[in-house]
Short mmCIF file of all heavy atoms in Angstrom, two decimals:
data_model
loop_
_atom_site.label_atom_id
_atom_site.label_comp_id
_atom_site.label_asym_id
_atom_site.label_seq_id
_atom_site.Cartn_x
_atom_site.Cartn_y
_atom_site.Cartn_z
N MET A 284 -68.22 51.45 -91.70
CA MET A 284 -67.09 50.77 -92.35
C MET A 284 -66.10 51.79 -92.90
O MET A 284 -64.92 51.74 -92.68
CB MET A 284 -67.61 49.90 -93.51
CG MET A 284 -68.17 48.58 -93.00
SD MET A 284 -66.94 47.62 -92.08
CE MET A 284 -66.75 46.20 -93.13
N CYS A 285 -66.68 52.74 -93.59
CA CYS A 285 -65.85 53.75 -94.23
C CYS A 285 -65.05 54.53 -93.19
O CYS A 285 -63.87 54.80 -93.39
CB CYS A 285 -66.74 54.71 -95.02
SG CYS A 285 -66.18 54.90 -96.72
N ASP A 286 -65.70 54.88 -92.09
CA ASP A 286 -65.04 55.67 -91.06
C ASP A 286 -63.84 54.93 -90.48
O ASP A 286 -62.79 55.49 -90.25
CB ASP A 286 -66.03 55.99 -89.93
CG ASP A 286 -67.04 57.01 -90.40
OD1 ASP A 286 -66.80 57.60 -91.46
OD2 ASP A 286 -68.06 57.20 -89.73
N ILE A 287 -64.04 53.64 -90.24
CA ILE A 287 -62.96 52.85 -89.66
C ILE A 287 -61.75 52.82 -90.60
O ILE A 287 -60.62 52.98 -90.18
CB ILE A 287 -63.46 51.42 -89.35
CG1 ILE A 287 -64.47 51.50 -88.19
CG2 ILE A 287 -62.29 50.53 -88.96
CD1 ILE A 287 -65.29 50.24 -88.05
N ALA A 288 -62.04 52.66 -91.86
CA ALA A 288 -60.96 52.62 -92.84
C ALA A 288 -60.21 53.96 -92.85
O ALA A 288 -58.99 54.00 -92.88
CB ALA A 288 -61.52 52.31 -94.22
N ASP A 289 -60.97 55.05 -92.81
CA ASP A 289 -60.35 56.37 -92.81
C ASP A 289 -59.47 56.56 -91.58
O ASP A 289 -58.37 57.10 -91.66
CB ASP A 289 -61.43 57.46 -92.81
CG ASP A 289 -61.97 57.68 -94.21
OD1 ASP A 289 -61.40 57.10 -95.15
OD2 ASP A 289 -62.94 58.43 -94.36
N GLU A 290 -59.99 56.10 -90.45
CA GLU A 290 -59.25 56.27 -89.21
C GLU A 290 -57.92 55.51 -89.27
O GLU A 290 -56.88 56.02 -88.87
CB GLU A 290 -60.10 55.74 -88.05
CG GLU A 290 -59.77 56.42 -86.75
CD GLU A 290 -60.74 55.97 -85.67
OE1 GLU A 290 -61.89 56.43 -85.69
OE2 GLU A 290 -60.33 55.15 -84.85
N ALA A 291 -57.99 54.30 -89.77
CA ALA A 291 -56.78 53.50 -89.89
C ALA A 291 -55.79 54.18 -90.82
O ALA A 291 -54.59 54.23 -90.56
CB ALA A 291 -57.13 52.11 -90.39
N PHE A 292 -56.31 54.73 -91.87
CA PHE A 292 -55.44 55.39 -92.84
C PHE A 292 -54.78 56.61 -92.19
O PHE A 292 -53.58 56.82 -92.33
CB PHE A 292 -56.28 55.81 -94.05
CG PHE A 292 -55.47 56.57 -95.07
CD1 PHE A 292 -54.59 55.91 -95.91
CD2 PHE A 292 -55.60 57.95 -95.19
CE1 PHE A 292 -53.84 56.61 -96.84
CE2 PHE A 292 -54.87 58.65 -96.11
CZ PHE A 292 -53.99 57.98 -96.95
N GLU A 293 -55.59 57.37 -91.46
CA GLU A 293 -55.04 58.57 -90.82
C GLU A 293 -53.96 58.20 -89.81
O GLU A 293 -52.95 58.87 -89.69
CB GLU A 293 -56.16 59.35 -90.13
CG GLU A 293 -56.67 60.47 -91.01
CD GLU A 293 -57.85 61.18 -90.37
OE1 GLU A 293 -57.78 61.44 -89.17
OE2 GLU A 293 -58.82 61.46 -91.09
N ARG A 294 -54.22 57.14 -89.06
CA ARG A 294 -53.23 56.74 -88.07
C ARG A 294 -51.93 56.31 -88.76
O ARG A 294 -50.84 56.61 -88.28
CB ARG A 294 -53.78 55.59 -87.23
CG ARG A 294 -52.95 55.38 -85.98
CD ARG A 294 -53.55 54.32 -85.10
NE ARG A 294 -54.96 54.58 -84.84
CZ ARG A 294 -55.81 53.65 -84.40
NH1 ARG A 294 -55.39 52.43 -84.21
NH2 ARG A 294 -57.06 53.95 -84.16
N GLU A 295 -52.09 55.64 -89.87
CA GLU A 295 -50.91 55.21 -90.61
C GLU A 295 -50.09 56.43 -91.06
O GLU A 295 -48.88 56.47 -90.94
CB GLU A 295 -51.35 54.41 -91.83
CG GLU A 295 -50.61 53.10 -91.99
CD GLU A 295 -51.25 52.26 -93.06
OE1 GLU A 295 -50.99 52.55 -94.23
OE2 GLU A 295 -52.05 51.36 -92.74
N GLU A 296 -50.80 57.40 -91.57
CA GLU A 296 -50.15 58.63 -92.02
C GLU A 296 -49.41 59.30 -90.87
O GLU A 296 -48.27 59.75 -91.00
CB GLU A 296 -51.19 59.60 -92.58
CG GLU A 296 -51.72 59.21 -93.93
CD GLU A 296 -50.74 59.60 -95.02
OE1 GLU A 296 -50.60 60.80 -95.29
OE2 GLU A 296 -50.10 58.70 -95.58
N TRP A 297 -50.09 59.36 -89.74
CA TRP A 297 -49.54 60.03 -88.57
C TRP A 297 -48.28 59.30 -88.10
O TRP A 297 -47.27 59.91 -87.76
CB TRP A 297 -50.62 60.03 -87.47
CG TRP A 297 -50.19 60.72 -86.24
CD1 TRP A 297 -50.13 62.06 -86.03
CD2 TRP A 297 -49.76 60.10 -85.03
NE1 TRP A 297 -49.69 62.30 -84.77
CE2 TRP A 297 -49.46 61.13 -84.13
CE3 TRP A 297 -49.61 58.77 -84.63
CZ2 TRP A 297 -49.01 60.86 -82.84
CZ3 TRP A 297 -49.17 58.51 -83.35
CH2 TRP A 297 -48.87 59.55 -82.48
N GLU A 298 -48.37 57.98 -88.09
CA GLU A 298 -47.21 57.19 -87.66
C GLU A 298 -46.03 57.39 -88.60
O GLU A 298 -44.89 57.46 -88.18
CB GLU A 298 -47.58 55.71 -87.57
CG GLU A 298 -48.19 55.40 -86.22
CD GLU A 298 -48.78 54.00 -86.17
OE1 GLU A 298 -48.51 53.21 -87.08
OE2 GLU A 298 -49.50 53.72 -85.20
N ARG A 299 -46.34 57.50 -89.88
CA ARG A 299 -45.27 57.70 -90.85
C ARG A 299 -44.61 59.06 -90.65
O ARG A 299 -43.40 59.20 -90.69
CB ARG A 299 -45.84 57.59 -92.27
CG ARG A 299 -44.74 57.30 -93.25
CD ARG A 299 -45.20 57.27 -94.70
NE ARG A 299 -46.61 57.39 -94.88
CZ ARG A 299 -47.35 56.51 -95.56
NH1 ARG A 299 -46.79 55.44 -96.05
NH2 ARG A 299 -48.62 56.70 -95.74
N GLU A 300 -45.45 60.06 -90.37
CA GLU A 300 -44.90 61.39 -90.13
C GLU A 300 -44.02 61.40 -88.89
O GLU A 300 -42.94 61.98 -88.87
CB GLU A 300 -46.05 62.39 -89.93
CG GLU A 300 -46.27 63.28 -91.14
CD GLU A 300 -47.45 64.20 -90.93
OE1 GLU A 300 -47.43 64.96 -89.95
OE2 GLU A 300 -48.39 64.16 -91.74
N LEU A 301 -44.49 60.74 -87.86
CA LEU A 301 -43.74 60.68 -86.61
C LEU A 301 -42.40 59.99 -86.84
O LEU A 301 -41.37 60.42 -86.35
CB LEU A 301 -44.57 59.91 -85.58
CG LEU A 301 -44.22 60.18 -84.13
CD1 LEU A 301 -44.65 61.59 -83.75
CD2 LEU A 301 -44.94 59.18 -83.23
N ALA A 302 -42.44 58.91 -87.61
CA ALA A 302 -41.21 58.17 -87.89
C ALA A 302 -40.22 59.07 -88.63
O ALA A 302 -39.02 59.06 -88.37
CB ALA A 302 -41.51 56.93 -88.71
N LEU A 303 -40.73 59.87 -89.55
CA LEU A 303 -39.87 60.77 -90.31
C LEU A 303 -39.24 61.81 -89.39
O LEU A 303 -38.07 62.13 -89.50
CB LEU A 303 -40.67 61.48 -91.40
CG LEU A 303 -40.93 60.67 -92.66
CD1 LEU A 303 -41.85 61.46 -93.59
CD2 LEU A 303 -39.63 60.35 -93.38
N LYS A 304 -40.06 62.32 -88.45
CA LYS A 304 -39.57 63.36 -87.54
C LYS A 304 -38.51 62.80 -86.61
O LYS A 304 -37.55 63.48 -86.26
CB LYS A 304 -40.74 63.89 -86.71
CG LYS A 304 -41.37 65.12 -87.34
CD LYS A 304 -42.48 65.64 -86.46
CE LYS A 304 -43.55 66.28 -87.31
NZ LYS A 304 -44.85 66.31 -86.61
N ASN A 305 -38.73 61.55 -86.18
CA ASN A 305 -37.80 60.97 -85.21
C ASN A 305 -36.52 60.47 -85.84
O ASN A 305 -35.54 60.25 -85.15
CB ASN A 305 -38.48 59.81 -84.48
CG ASN A 305 -39.50 60.32 -83.48
OD1 ASN A 305 -39.46 61.49 -83.09
ND2 ASN A 305 -40.42 59.48 -83.09
N ARG A 306 -36.57 60.29 -87.15
CA ARG A 306 -35.38 59.75 -87.80
C ARG A 306 -34.26 60.78 -87.74
O ARG A 306 -34.45 61.95 -88.04
CB ARG A 306 -35.69 59.39 -89.25
CG ARG A 306 -34.62 58.49 -89.82
CD ARG A 306 -35.12 57.85 -91.08
NE ARG A 306 -35.62 58.85 -92.02
CZ ARG A 306 -36.22 58.54 -93.16
NH1 ARG A 306 -36.43 57.31 -93.46
NH2 ARG A 306 -36.63 59.48 -93.97
N LYS A 307 -33.10 60.31 -87.36
CA LYS A 307 -31.95 61.21 -87.26
C LYS A 307 -31.52 61.64 -88.64
O LYS A 307 -31.42 60.84 -89.55
CB LYS A 307 -30.80 60.48 -86.59
CG LYS A 307 -30.72 60.83 -85.10
CD LYS A 307 -29.75 59.93 -84.45
CE LYS A 307 -28.54 60.44 -83.85
NZ LYS A 307 -27.57 59.41 -83.51
N LYS A 308 -31.26 62.91 -88.77
CA LYS A 308 -30.75 63.39 -90.05
C LYS A 308 -29.31 62.91 -90.20
O LYS A 308 -28.53 62.97 -89.27
CB LYS A 308 -30.76 64.92 -90.06
CG LYS A 308 -32.11 65.48 -90.40
CD LYS A 308 -31.99 66.99 -90.58
CE LYS A 308 -33.37 67.63 -90.52
NZ LYS A 308 -33.29 69.06 -90.24
N PRO A 309 -28.96 62.46 -91.40
CA PRO A 309 -27.57 62.07 -91.61
C PRO A 309 -26.66 63.29 -91.52
O PRO A 309 -27.03 64.39 -91.93
CB PRO A 309 -27.57 61.47 -93.01
CG PRO A 309 -28.79 61.99 -93.68
CD PRO A 309 -29.79 62.32 -92.59
N GLU A 310 -25.51 63.07 -90.96
CA GLU A 310 -24.56 64.18 -90.87
C GLU A 310 -24.12 64.60 -92.26
O GLU A 310 -23.94 63.76 -93.13
CB GLU A 310 -23.34 63.74 -90.07
CG GLU A 310 -23.55 63.84 -88.59
CD GLU A 310 -22.25 63.50 -87.85
OE1 GLU A 310 -21.29 64.25 -88.00
OE2 GLU A 310 -22.23 62.47 -87.18
N PRO A 311 -23.93 65.88 -92.47
CA PRO A 311 -23.44 66.31 -93.79
C PRO A 311 -22.04 65.79 -94.00
O PRO A 311 -21.27 65.65 -93.05
CB PRO A 311 -23.46 67.84 -93.70
CG PRO A 311 -23.48 68.16 -92.25
CD PRO A 311 -24.13 67.00 -91.56
N PRO A 312 -21.71 65.50 -95.23
CA PRO A 312 -20.37 64.98 -95.50
C PRO A 312 -19.31 65.98 -95.06
O PRO A 312 -19.47 67.18 -95.18
CB PRO A 312 -20.35 64.80 -97.02
CG PRO A 312 -21.76 64.89 -97.48
CD PRO A 312 -22.53 65.63 -96.44
N SER A 313 -18.25 65.44 -94.52
CA SER A 313 -17.16 66.29 -94.05
C SER A 313 -16.30 66.73 -95.23
O SER A 313 -16.05 65.97 -96.15
CB SER A 313 -16.32 65.50 -93.05
OG SER A 313 -15.12 66.20 -92.78
N ALA A 314 -15.85 67.97 -95.21
CA ALA A 314 -15.03 68.48 -96.31
C ALA A 314 -13.62 67.93 -96.23
O ALA A 314 -12.90 67.89 -97.23
CB ALA A 314 -15.00 70.01 -96.27
N VAL A 315 -13.24 67.50 -95.02
CA VAL A 315 -11.89 66.97 -94.82
C VAL A 315 -12.00 65.50 -94.44
O VAL A 315 -12.88 65.12 -93.68
CB VAL A 315 -11.16 67.77 -93.72
CG1 VAL A 315 -9.78 67.18 -93.46
CG2 VAL A 315 -11.07 69.23 -94.10
N CYS A 316 -11.13 64.69 -94.96
CA CYS A 316 -11.12 63.26 -94.67
C CYS A 316 -11.17 63.01 -93.16
O CYS A 316 -10.43 63.62 -92.40
CB CYS A 316 -9.85 62.64 -95.25
SG CYS A 316 -9.75 60.87 -94.98
N ARG A 317 -12.09 62.15 -92.75
CA ARG A 317 -12.28 61.91 -91.32
C ARG A 317 -11.36 60.84 -90.77
O ARG A 317 -11.43 60.53 -89.58
CB ARG A 317 -13.73 61.46 -91.08
CG ARG A 317 -14.69 62.61 -91.16
CD ARG A 317 -16.00 62.22 -90.56
NE ARG A 317 -16.94 63.32 -90.70
CZ ARG A 317 -18.22 63.22 -90.41
NH1 ARG A 317 -18.70 62.09 -89.99
NH2 ARG A 317 -19.01 64.25 -90.55
N ASN A 318 -10.57 60.26 -91.61
CA ASN A 318 -9.71 59.18 -91.13
C ASN A 318 -8.55 59.76 -90.33
O ASN A 318 -7.59 60.29 -90.89
CB ASN A 318 -9.20 58.37 -92.32
CG ASN A 318 -8.32 57.22 -91.85
OD1 ASN A 318 -8.51 56.70 -90.75
ND2 ASN A 318 -7.37 56.85 -92.66
N GLY A 319 -8.66 59.65 -89.02
CA GLY A 319 -7.58 60.08 -88.14
C GLY A 319 -7.10 61.48 -88.46
O GLY A 319 -7.89 62.41 -88.55
N ASP A 320 -5.79 61.61 -88.65
CA ASP A 320 -5.22 62.93 -88.95
C ASP A 320 -4.81 63.00 -90.41
O ASP A 320 -3.83 63.66 -90.75
CB ASP A 320 -4.04 63.23 -88.03
CG ASP A 320 -3.02 62.10 -88.03
OD1 ASP A 320 -3.21 61.13 -88.79
OD2 ASP A 320 -2.04 62.20 -87.28
N CYS A 321 -5.55 62.32 -91.27
CA CYS A 321 -5.24 62.29 -92.70
C CYS A 321 -5.17 63.72 -93.26
O CYS A 321 -4.17 64.12 -93.83
CB CYS A 321 -6.29 61.48 -93.44
SG CYS A 321 -6.17 61.58 -95.22
N GLY A 322 -6.24 64.49 -93.06
CA GLY A 322 -6.23 65.89 -93.43
C GLY A 322 -6.42 66.18 -94.91
O GLY A 322 -6.44 67.33 -95.34
N GLU A 323 -6.58 65.13 -95.72
CA GLU A 323 -6.82 65.34 -97.15
C GLU A 323 -8.24 65.82 -97.38
O GLU A 323 -9.13 65.56 -96.57
CB GLU A 323 -6.61 64.02 -97.91
CG GLU A 323 -5.20 63.49 -97.86
CD GLU A 323 -4.32 64.16 -98.90
OE1 GLU A 323 -4.84 64.54 -99.97
OE2 GLU A 323 -3.12 64.32 -98.63
N ALA A 324 -8.46 66.50 -98.50
CA ALA A 324 -9.82 66.90 -98.86
C ALA A 324 -10.62 65.67 -99.24
O ALA A 324 -10.11 64.77 -99.90
CB ALA A 324 -9.79 67.88 -100.02
N SER A 325 -11.90 65.62 -98.78
CA SER A 325 -12.73 64.46 -99.08
C SER A 325 -13.18 64.47 -100.52
O SER A 325 -13.26 65.52 -101.16
CB SER A 325 -13.98 64.48 -98.19
OG SER A 325 -13.62 64.46 -96.85
N GLN A 326 -13.52 63.27 -100.99
CA GLN A 326 -14.20 63.17 -102.27
C GLN A 326 -15.57 63.82 -102.11
O GLN A 326 -16.17 63.70 -101.05
CB GLN A 326 -14.38 61.70 -102.66
CG GLN A 326 -13.09 60.95 -102.89
CD GLN A 326 -12.37 61.39 -104.15
OE1 GLN A 326 -13.00 61.74 -105.13
NE2 GLN A 326 -11.05 61.40 -104.09
N PRO A 327 -16.06 64.51 -103.15
CA PRO A 327 -17.37 65.18 -103.03
C PRO A 327 -18.45 64.22 -102.60
O PRO A 327 -18.55 63.12 -103.13
CB PRO A 327 -17.64 65.69 -104.46
CG PRO A 327 -16.30 65.76 -105.11
CD PRO A 327 -15.44 64.71 -104.46
N GLY A 328 -19.22 64.63 -101.57
CA GLY A 328 -20.33 63.81 -101.10
C GLY A 328 -19.93 62.69 -100.16
O GLY A 328 -20.76 61.92 -99.75
N THR A 329 -18.66 62.61 -99.81
CA THR A 329 -18.22 61.57 -98.88
C THR A 329 -17.44 62.22 -97.73
O THR A 329 -17.16 63.42 -97.75
CB THR A 329 -17.29 60.53 -99.57
OG1 THR A 329 -15.98 61.11 -99.70
CG2 THR A 329 -17.82 60.14 -100.93
N ASN A 330 -17.09 61.39 -96.75
CA ASN A 330 -16.33 61.89 -95.62
C ASN A 330 -14.85 61.55 -95.72
O ASN A 330 -14.10 61.80 -94.79
CB ASN A 330 -16.87 61.27 -94.32
CG ASN A 330 -18.27 61.75 -94.03
OD1 ASN A 330 -18.59 62.92 -94.20
ND2 ASN A 330 -19.12 60.85 -93.60
N TYR A 331 -14.45 60.98 -96.83
CA TYR A 331 -13.08 60.49 -96.92
C TYR A 331 -12.46 60.81 -98.27
O TYR A 331 -13.15 61.01 -99.26
CB TYR A 331 -13.06 58.97 -96.67
CG TYR A 331 -13.77 58.60 -95.39
CD1 TYR A 331 -15.07 58.13 -95.42
CD2 TYR A 331 -13.14 58.79 -94.17
CE1 TYR A 331 -15.73 57.82 -94.26
CE2 TYR A 331 -13.81 58.49 -92.99
CZ TYR A 331 -15.10 58.00 -93.04
OH TYR A 331 -15.75 57.72 -91.89
N CYS A 332 -11.12 60.82 -98.27
CA CYS A 332 -10.42 61.15 -99.51
C CYS A 332 -10.30 59.94 -100.41
O CYS A 332 -10.09 60.09 -101.62
CB CYS A 332 -9.03 61.71 -99.18
SG CYS A 332 -7.92 60.50 -98.44
N CYS A 333 -10.41 58.73 -99.83
CA CYS A 333 -10.24 57.51 -100.63
C CYS A 333 -10.90 56.34 -99.91
O CYS A 333 -11.13 56.42 -98.70
CB CYS A 333 -8.75 57.24 -100.87
SG CYS A 333 -7.84 56.99 -99.34
N PRO A 334 -11.20 55.26 -100.64
CA PRO A 334 -11.86 54.11 -100.00
C PRO A 334 -11.04 53.52 -98.86
O PRO A 334 -11.60 53.03 -97.88
CB PRO A 334 -12.00 53.09 -101.15
CG PRO A 334 -11.89 53.89 -102.41
CD PRO A 334 -11.02 55.07 -102.08
N GLU A 335 -9.73 53.58 -98.97
CA GLU A 335 -8.89 53.01 -97.91
C GLU A 335 -9.10 53.75 -96.60
O GLU A 335 -9.20 53.16 -95.53
CB GLU A 335 -7.41 53.08 -98.31
CG GLU A 335 -7.01 52.04 -99.33
CD GLU A 335 -7.43 52.43 -100.74
OE1 GLU A 335 -7.80 53.60 -100.96
OE2 GLU A 335 -7.41 51.56 -101.62
N CYS A 336 -9.19 55.09 -96.69
CA CYS A 336 -9.40 55.89 -95.48
C CYS A 336 -10.77 55.56 -94.86
O CYS A 336 -10.91 55.48 -93.66
CB CYS A 336 -9.32 57.39 -95.81
SG CYS A 336 -7.63 58.02 -95.71
N ARG A 337 -11.76 55.38 -95.74
CA ARG A 337 -13.09 55.07 -95.23
C ARG A 337 -13.06 53.75 -94.46
O ARG A 337 -13.59 53.63 -93.36
CB ARG A 337 -14.08 54.98 -96.40
CG ARG A 337 -15.49 54.76 -95.96
CD ARG A 337 -16.42 54.79 -97.13
NE ARG A 337 -16.07 53.76 -98.10
CZ ARG A 337 -16.63 52.55 -98.12
NH1 ARG A 337 -17.58 52.24 -97.28
NH2 ARG A 337 -16.26 51.65 -98.99
N GLU A 338 -12.40 52.77 -95.03
CA GLU A 338 -12.32 51.47 -94.37
C GLU A 338 -11.58 51.60 -93.04
O GLU A 338 -12.01 51.05 -92.02
CB GLU A 338 -11.59 50.47 -95.26
CG GLU A 338 -12.55 49.75 -96.20
CD GLU A 338 -11.79 48.88 -97.19
OE1 GLU A 338 -10.78 48.27 -96.81
OE2 GLU A 338 -12.22 48.83 -98.36
N ASP A 339 -10.47 52.31 -93.06
CA ASP A 339 -9.70 52.50 -91.84
C ASP A 339 -10.54 53.12 -90.75
O ASP A 339 -10.57 52.66 -89.61
CB ASP A 339 -8.50 53.41 -92.12
CG ASP A 339 -7.28 52.61 -92.53
OD1 ASP A 339 -7.43 51.39 -92.76
OD2 ASP A 339 -6.20 53.21 -92.63
N ASP A 340 -11.25 54.19 -91.11
CA ASP A 340 -12.02 54.92 -90.11
C ASP A 340 -13.19 54.08 -89.62
O ASP A 340 -13.51 54.09 -88.44
CB ASP A 340 -12.53 56.24 -90.71
CG ASP A 340 -13.09 57.14 -89.63
OD1 ASP A 340 -12.39 57.35 -88.62
OD2 ASP A 340 -14.22 57.61 -89.77
N GLU A 341 -13.83 53.35 -90.52
CA GLU A 341 -14.95 52.51 -90.10
C GLU A 341 -14.48 51.44 -89.13
O GLU A 341 -15.16 51.11 -88.17
CB GLU A 341 -15.62 51.88 -91.33
CG GLU A 341 -16.60 52.87 -91.96
CD GLU A 341 -17.17 52.36 -93.27
OE1 GLU A 341 -16.84 51.24 -93.68
OE2 GLU A 341 -17.93 53.12 -93.89
N LYS A 342 -13.31 50.89 -89.38
CA LYS A 342 -12.73 49.90 -88.46
C LYS A 342 -12.50 50.54 -87.09
O LYS A 342 -12.80 49.96 -86.05
CB LYS A 342 -11.39 49.40 -89.01
CG LYS A 342 -11.52 48.12 -89.80
CD LYS A 342 -10.14 47.64 -90.22
CE LYS A 342 -10.11 47.40 -91.71
NZ LYS A 342 -8.72 47.33 -92.23
N TRP A 343 -11.98 51.74 -87.12
CA TRP A 343 -11.68 52.44 -85.88
C TRP A 343 -12.96 52.73 -85.10
O TRP A 343 -13.04 52.52 -83.89
CB TRP A 343 -10.95 53.75 -86.23
CG TRP A 343 -10.42 54.47 -85.05
CD1 TRP A 343 -9.25 54.24 -84.41
CD2 TRP A 343 -11.05 55.55 -84.35
NE1 TRP A 343 -9.10 55.11 -83.36
CE2 TRP A 343 -10.19 55.93 -83.31
CE3 TRP A 343 -12.25 56.25 -84.52
CZ2 TRP A 343 -10.51 56.96 -82.42
CZ3 TRP A 343 -12.56 57.27 -83.64
CH2 TRP A 343 -11.69 57.61 -82.61
N VAL A 344 -13.98 53.21 -85.81
CA VAL A 344 -15.25 53.52 -85.17
C VAL A 344 -15.85 52.26 -84.56
O VAL A 344 -16.34 52.27 -83.43
CB VAL A 344 -16.23 54.15 -86.19
CG1 VAL A 344 -17.65 54.19 -85.62
CG2 VAL A 344 -15.78 55.56 -86.55
N ARG A 345 -15.78 51.16 -85.33
CA ARG A 345 -16.35 49.91 -84.83
C ARG A 345 -15.61 49.45 -83.57
O ARG A 345 -16.22 49.02 -82.61
CB ARG A 345 -16.24 48.83 -85.92
CG ARG A 345 -17.43 47.90 -85.90
CD ARG A 345 -17.47 47.07 -87.17
NE ARG A 345 -17.60 47.88 -88.36
CZ ARG A 345 -17.05 47.57 -89.56
NH1 ARG A 345 -16.32 46.49 -89.68
NH2 ARG A 345 -17.25 48.34 -90.59
N ALA A 346 -14.30 49.57 -83.58
CA ALA A 346 -13.52 49.16 -82.42
C ALA A 346 -13.90 50.01 -81.22
O ALA A 346 -14.03 49.51 -80.10
CB ALA A 346 -12.03 49.32 -82.74
N ASN A 347 -14.10 51.29 -81.43
CA ASN A 347 -14.48 52.19 -80.36
C ASN A 347 -15.85 51.85 -79.79
O ASN A 347 -16.06 51.90 -78.58
CB ASN A 347 -14.51 53.64 -80.88
CG ASN A 347 -13.32 54.42 -80.40
OD1 ASN A 347 -12.32 53.82 -79.98
ND2 ASN A 347 -13.41 55.72 -80.46
N GLN A 348 -16.79 51.54 -80.69
CA GLN A 348 -18.13 51.20 -80.24
C GLN A 348 -18.08 49.95 -79.37
O GLN A 348 -18.75 49.86 -78.34
CB GLN A 348 -19.04 50.98 -81.44
CG GLN A 348 -19.52 52.30 -82.03
CD GLN A 348 -20.22 52.09 -83.36
OE1 GLN A 348 -20.13 51.03 -83.96
NE2 GLN A 348 -20.90 53.10 -83.83
N GLN A 349 -17.28 48.98 -79.78
CA GLN A 349 -17.18 47.76 -79.00
C GLN A 349 -16.58 48.03 -77.63
O GLN A 349 -16.97 47.45 -76.64
CB GLN A 349 -16.33 46.73 -79.76
CG GLN A 349 -17.18 45.98 -80.79
CD GLN A 349 -16.31 45.25 -81.81
OE1 GLN A 349 -15.09 45.25 -81.69
NE2 GLN A 349 -16.94 44.68 -82.80
N ARG A 350 -15.64 48.96 -77.60
CA ARG A 350 -15.01 49.29 -76.33
C ARG A 350 -16.05 49.90 -75.37
O ARG A 350 -16.06 49.65 -74.19
CB ARG A 350 -13.86 50.28 -76.57
CG ARG A 350 -12.87 50.24 -75.43
CD ARG A 350 -11.71 51.20 -75.68
NE ARG A 350 -11.11 50.97 -77.00
CZ ARG A 350 -10.40 51.91 -77.66
NH1 ARG A 350 -10.23 53.08 -77.14
NH2 ARG A 350 -9.87 51.66 -78.82
N LYS A 351 -16.93 50.73 -75.94
CA LYS A 351 -17.96 51.38 -75.12
C LYS A 351 -18.90 50.34 -74.53
O LYS A 351 -19.30 50.44 -73.38
CB LYS A 351 -18.74 52.36 -75.99
CG LYS A 351 -18.43 53.81 -75.63
CD LYS A 351 -19.25 54.75 -76.49
CE LYS A 351 -18.36 55.72 -77.26
NZ LYS A 351 -19.10 56.42 -78.31
N VAL A 352 -19.27 49.36 -75.34
CA VAL A 352 -20.22 48.34 -74.89
C VAL A 352 -19.58 47.49 -73.80
O VAL A 352 -20.24 47.16 -72.81
CB VAL A 352 -20.66 47.46 -76.08
CG1 VAL A 352 -21.47 46.28 -75.59
CG2 VAL A 352 -21.49 48.30 -77.04
N ALA A 353 -18.32 47.14 -73.96
CA ALA A 353 -17.64 46.23 -73.03
C ALA A 353 -17.44 46.88 -71.67
O ALA A 353 -17.36 48.08 -71.56
CB ALA A 353 -16.29 45.80 -73.59
ZN1 ZN B 564 -7.81 60.28 -96.13
#
């Protein structure tokens, strides 16, 4: 009984490790606003200079993704 429990536990651990390894690392925040050719310095820890730019760029990315699928 004990062995089976240990085995299940080990497999769980292994699967968790594998999941961590396979997970894509998030891209580091960009120092310059990613919205088109905005060119402003980003807010610390973000990819954009302001919430408006973030929304604009997310809309653009979404539109592009849809174009790829279609
Ligand atoms: Zn911007």
Side-chain angles (χ1 to χ4, degrees):
M284 279 302 245
C285 232
D286 288 348
I287 291 165
D289 279 353
E290 207 174 285
F292 177 76
E293 263 176 43
R294 194 175 309 162
E295 228 171 79
E296 285 281 289
W297 181 78
E298 274 171 12
R299 200 184 354 235
E300 256 177 57
L301 202 70
L303 280 174
K304 266 182 212 157
N305 286 341
R306 196 164 53 186
K307 262 170 116 192
K308 278 188 197 161
E310 277 185 65
S313 169
V315 177
C316 181
R317 284 196 182 171
N318 181 30
D320 52 3
C321 171
E323 296 278 329
S325 301
Q326 296 290 326
T329 78
N330 294 318
Y331 307 100
C332 67
C333 60
E335 284 78 14
C336 272
R337 184 175 59 94
E338 271 173 37
D339 269 9
D340 192 51
E341 278 173 2
K342 265 184 233 163
W343 188 83
V344 167
R345 215 167 299 147
N347 255 18
Q348 280 170 346
Q349 276 164 5
R350 202 179 308 157
K351 251 181 237 167
V352 171

